[in-house]
């Protein structure tokens, strides 16, 4: 079984602004902490959500290509392990009241 290797770019001024990069593909995913960050979804990208340590995260692809779409969940699962919350439930829609993203 082949595994993707992911790397993390962090913003030293904002600990919640990470970008997940796939080493082997062009997949990139921006991470938002919805408790702190304003988030306006891009309709051309994939958005997924997850709770970890009582924080709600949004994950949005950056210039997604069709061949990378299947790796999005794996990259988010890798990030959940990285933040030491491997049981993060990945949600297809924004769970906040009044927010919804059509996929």
């Amino acid at each position: 079984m082949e595994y993707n290797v992911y790397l993390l770019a962090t913003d030293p001024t904002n600990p919640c602004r990470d970008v997940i990069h796939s080493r082997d593909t062009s997949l990139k995913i921006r991470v938002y902490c919805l408790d702190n960050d304003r988030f306006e979804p891009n309709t051309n990208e994939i958005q997924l959500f997850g709770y970890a340590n009582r924080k709600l995260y949004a994950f949005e692809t950056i210039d997604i290509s069709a061949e990378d779409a299947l790796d999005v969940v794996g990259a988010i699962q890798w990030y959940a392990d990285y933040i030491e919350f491997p049981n993060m439930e990945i949600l297809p829609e924004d769970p906040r009241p009044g927010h919804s993203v059509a996929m």
Side-chain angles (χ1 to χ4, degrees):
M1 182 189 266
E2 192 173 312
Y3 293 98
N4 287 333
V5 174
Y6 299 103
L7 308 169
L8 194 65
T10 59
D11 181 343
T13 62
N14 185 345
C16 222
R17 268 301 168 94
D18 295 331
V19 177
I20 305 164
H21 293 260
S22 171
R23 183 188 69 180
D24 303 315
T25 68
S26 62
L27 178 65
K28 293 184 191 91
I29 301 172
R30 185 169 286 120
V31 180
Y32 296 88
C33 292
L34 296 183
D35 298 338
N36 304 327
D37 293 335
R38 182 183 164 122
F39 176 64
E40 293 294 327
N42 180 335
T43 57
N44 296 318
E45 300 294 338
I46 297 170
Q47 297 85 27
L48 294 171
F49 302 84
Y51 282 104
N53 298 322
R54 298 184 185 199
K55 288 184 182 177
L56 177 61
Y57 291 86
F59 301 92
E60 183 174 64
T61 59
I62 302 170
D63 298 327
I64 187 73
S65 64
E67 58 268 7
D68 290 336
L70 294 175
D71 296 330
V72 172
V73 171
I76 295 170
Q77 288 172 330
W78 173 87
Y79 185 80
D81 284 341
Y82 173 80
I83 62 171
E84 299 179 356
F85 205 85
N87 295 325
M88 175 190 287
E89 181 181 6
I90 300 171
L91 306 169
E93 295 184 11
D94 190 338
R96 299 176 296 171
H99 293 84
S100 167
V101 175
M103 295 185 71

